[in-house]
Amino acid sequence: MATSSTGFSGQGLRRLREVLAGHVESQRIPGLVALVSRGGHSHVEALGTMRHDGGAPMRRDTIFRMASTSKPVTMAAAMVLLDECRLRLDDPVDPWLPELADRRVLKRPDGPLDDTVPALRPITVRDLLTSTFGLGVDFESMTSPIRAATFERLDYSVASGPAPEPDEWMRRLGELPLQYQPGVRWQYDLSNEVAGVLVSRVTGQPLETFLRERILDPLGMNDTAFHVPADKIDRLPPLYGPDPQTGEFAVWDQAAGGRSSTPPAFQGAGGGLVSTADDYHSYFRMLLNHGMHGSERILSRTAVELMTTNRLSPGQQAARDTMFSGVAHLSCGQGTSGGWGFGMAVRTARSDYAPIGQYGWFGGTGTTAYADPANQLTGILLTQVGLSTPDSPRAMNDFWTTLYQAID
């Protein structure tokens, strides 16, 4: 058990285990893997089982579908291109993404799709990286015509099936007007997917190939990919989405034969990665080390600072605050942490146990990963239970609440 030399108290880590074990013993979360790290020392808990009806135990090297917790990792590929001057933040994306040239914009965000005006300016790289290019999930307009059209053409969630290959996906996107003028409003998710296509077209490689060469392999993230190969599939649990009314477990995605078992046509930068706690620990330690992994530089110090500090204007910030405050009661506060950098949230106010400056994100499959530079702390919690009920968000909340009390 930990001593003060690890940066955590032994009593605090015992309490952390007890709290996490309580969520497993409740039978609402079959199993989980948690990794906490501070000052070069890490502590791992693997609790419960892979399946809700028992079977193999959770292990430290269990592979999870990261969902939106993919965003902080995939956006590093774009940061490499910025470091190398192959992309510039305020350049239009038209040369690489001609489908987004000459945009039309809705006169009203909730108006008919054919009632538009010309965009005031092109979409830029910065717009994509800050999630402000004009389209995306907006919790204030979920019943609008543009939301329905976007979902119909571009969604590839568990319910709607896999996405087409990137060129066809971009063609469909290009048929839609923007909901807001470029750079005006923060909207969730869609921009990260477009940024992944941008990286692929700039490099002339599939997103995963470039990400592996420049980020994953140098960091030793050998289990991080856009699918789980056959020789590792036994390490992937089913993904569950409990019934919101009864809590009964329903399988959203099996392991063998499921969506994560084969290479996807569309490598989704917004939510397509599978990974392990140790792989994500390696990535977030690199960020805490200002872009260094041992003696090797992965990203420039300034690229890391850009990613991990708030990039939103006051107006964009206000829209983000309003959107997430409306769903905080459903997600136990996940996502209400303030600002947004490139591909991740950045805390700009003290709203719970975590301090200002903490950065990272969470995923709809029951995953969370954040780093805290003030305390040189990394925390990762991975479950196989989606956010159809508040059970995994509650576990996330309790994980962070207890972890901060364990700091020595």
Side-chain angles (χ1 to χ4, degrees):
M1 187 51 70
T3 65
S4 59
S5 64
T6 68
F8 298 107
S9 72
Q11 181 180 4
L13 290 180
R14 284 191 294 271
R15 176 61 180 152
L16 178 65
R17 178 184 175 88
E18 290 170 1
V19 168
L20 294 177
H23 284 280
V24 174
E25 290 162 3
S26 74
Q27 300 186 337
R28 296 182 181 276
I29 295 178
L32 56 85
V33 177
L35 186 153
V36 299
S37 167
R38 189 170 184 237
H41 299 274
S42 59
H43 178 88
V44 176
E45 298 285 358
L47 303 173
T49 55
M50 300 272 279
R51 301 186 60 88
H52 83 280
D53 51 1
M58 279 288 181
R59 305 185 334 195
R60 179 172 182 157
D61 66 352
T62 297
I63 298 172
F64 293 86
R65 302 160 186 83
M66 299 306 291
S68 286
T69 316
S70 304
K71 291 175 170 67
V73 173
T74 57
M75 288 305 99
M79 304 313 294
V80 171
L81 297 179
L82 289 174
D83 276 346
E84 296 179 347
C85 299
R86 298 165 73 181
L87 284 176
R88 301 175 189 87
L89 282 172
D90 293 308
D91 273 358
V93 299
D94 300 4
W96 304 285
L97 303 174
E99 299 92 341
L100 297 183
D102 303 319
R103 291 290 77 204
R104 304 288 299 183
V105 183
L106 295 178
K107 288 183 180 178
R108 298 194 339 266
D110 60 349
L113 299 184
D114 57 357
D115 190 16
T116 63
V117 296
L120 298 177
R121 64 164 176 80
I123 295 167
T124 65
V125 174
R126 186 188 301 273
D127 297 329
L128 292 183
L129 297 185
T130 56
S131 296
T132 60
F133 86 103
L135 268 180
V137 178
D138 192 324
F139 299 131
E140 291 187 277
S141 57
M142 297 297 280
T143 60
S144 64
I146 187 61
R147 173 57 184 160
T150 304
F151 187 86
E152 176 188 355
R153 288 168 172 78
L154 305 175
D155 183 73
Y156 60 102
S157 65
V158 173
S160 57
E165 50 82 30
D167 289 349
E168 170 61 17
W169 190 87
M170 286 299 305
R171 185 193 67 78
R172 297 179 187 181
L173 175 61
E175 292 178 343
L176 297 172
L178 301 181
Q179 189 174 15
Y180 293 92
Q181 290 285 345
V184 168
R185 187 176 177 89
W186 187 90
Q187 293 174 284
Y188 186 53
D189 194 48
L190 192 61
S191 63
N192 300 103
E193 308 289 19
V194 181
V197 179
L198 175 66
V199 168
S200 177
R201 289 188 178 177
V202 171
T203 62
Q205 297 175 292
L207 172 61
E208 183 171 9
T209 301
F210 185 72
L211 190 67
R212 183 156 304 286
E213 289 177 358
R214 304 304 298 272
I215 304 294
L216 304 181
D217 283 352
L219 289 173
M221 297 174 68
N222 299 323
D223 291 322
T224 303
F226 285 101
H227 84 288
V228 181
D231 61 349
K232 298 181 181 180
I233 200 70
D234 62 315
R235 292 162 54 195
L236 179 74
L239 172 63
Y240 296 107
D243 183 280
Q245 276 71 49
T246 67
E248 181 178 354
F249 283 102
V251 176
W252 275 355
D253 190 40
Q254 290 284 6
R259 291 181 59 182
S260 296
S261 67
T262 56
F266 186 89
Q267 296 172 351
L273 289 181
V274 296
S275 192
T276 64
D278 280 295
D279 276 13
Y280 260 64
H281 181 220
S282 180
Y283 180 77
F284 276 89
R285 280 188 64 187
M286 178 272 292
L287 295 182
L288 285 176
N289 290 331
H290 312 290
M292 295 295 292
H293 177 66
S295 60
E296 183 176 3
R297 179 160 291 285
I298 307 298
L299 295 173
S300 71
R301 185 186 188 102
T302 44
V304 173
E305 291 170 354
L306 272 174
M307 291 182 78
T308 61
T309 52
N310 186 30
R311 306 260 58 86
L312 300 185
S313 69
Q316 295 164 349
Q317 181 69 58
R320 186 184 184 284
D321 291 344
T322 300
M323 286 167 59
F324 273 94
S325 66
V327 295
H329 63 293
L330 300 174
S331 63
C332 303
Q334 307 301 318
T336 57
S337 56
W340 193 258
F342 291 162
M344 67 186 86
V346 181
R347 290 186 181 264
T348 56
R350 189 78 186 240
S351 60
D352 53 29
Y353 283 68
I356 292 172
Q358 185 205 45
Y359 53 78
W361 199 228
F362 74 106
T365 50
T367 60
T368 179
Y370 283 83
D372 169 2
N375 291 294
Q376 285 296 295
L377 171 75
T378 301
I380 299 156
L381 176 66
L382 308 177
T383 82
Q384 77 276 61
V385 178
L387 271 61
S388 56
T389 66
D391 295 313
S392 54
R394 285 171 178 155
M396 295 179 203
N397 181 89
D398 296 352
F399 168 71
W400 290 110
T401 298
T402 315
L403 174 55
Y404 274 102
Q405 296 174 66
I407 293 176
D408 192 354

